[in-house]
Amino acid sequence: NIHVSPPAAAPRPPPPEKPMSAREREAASRAQGLETPLDESNLGYRMMQNMGYGGGGLGKGEAGVAAPINPQQASVGDTQGLGRARAAQRAQTLYEDAKRLVAARQQTAFANHAHRRARDAAFSRAAG
């Protein structure tokens, strides 16, 4: 009995890289832009120099913010807008308040209805 092994398979090439989505490209571009220091090629930087900016911090005596402000974004796909989470929370609170008010009004209306029925039943028995 002779055992013959199959020939060794050639190593597989690595799978091709998945192309980045538009949102991923935007996030990568934003990260690169925030890491790049401002220089003469930046239009905003040149405009600030024309208004007296010398390269240090902002404000009197250049004692203010020196680094660009990093915009906050919850995730790459977050397109809800600034303040959206707080507005949604406020809307939820208003909804819950309105729901409690409706329940209280329904309870009052039911109590009034039961009182009228009891009163009408008492009048019917007395008249009848």
Side-chain angles (χ1 to χ4, degrees), residues 4-60:
V4 178
S5 328
R12 291 184 178 181
E17 289 188 31
K18 179 181 168 189
M20 289 184 6
S21 70
R23 289 182 177 153
E24 291 169 332
R25 285 192 307 271
E26 178 186 347
S29 174
R30 182 182 307 109
Q32 180 184 8
L34 290 171
E35 292 172 1
T36 305
L38 297 177
D39 61 7
E40 294 290 327
S41 66
N42 184 288
L43 175 62
Y45 183 80
R46 288 195 311 260
M47 290 172 62
M48 288 178 62
Q49 281 185 323
N50 289 339
M51 292 185 280
Y53 177 68
L58 298 177
K60 187 175 181 179

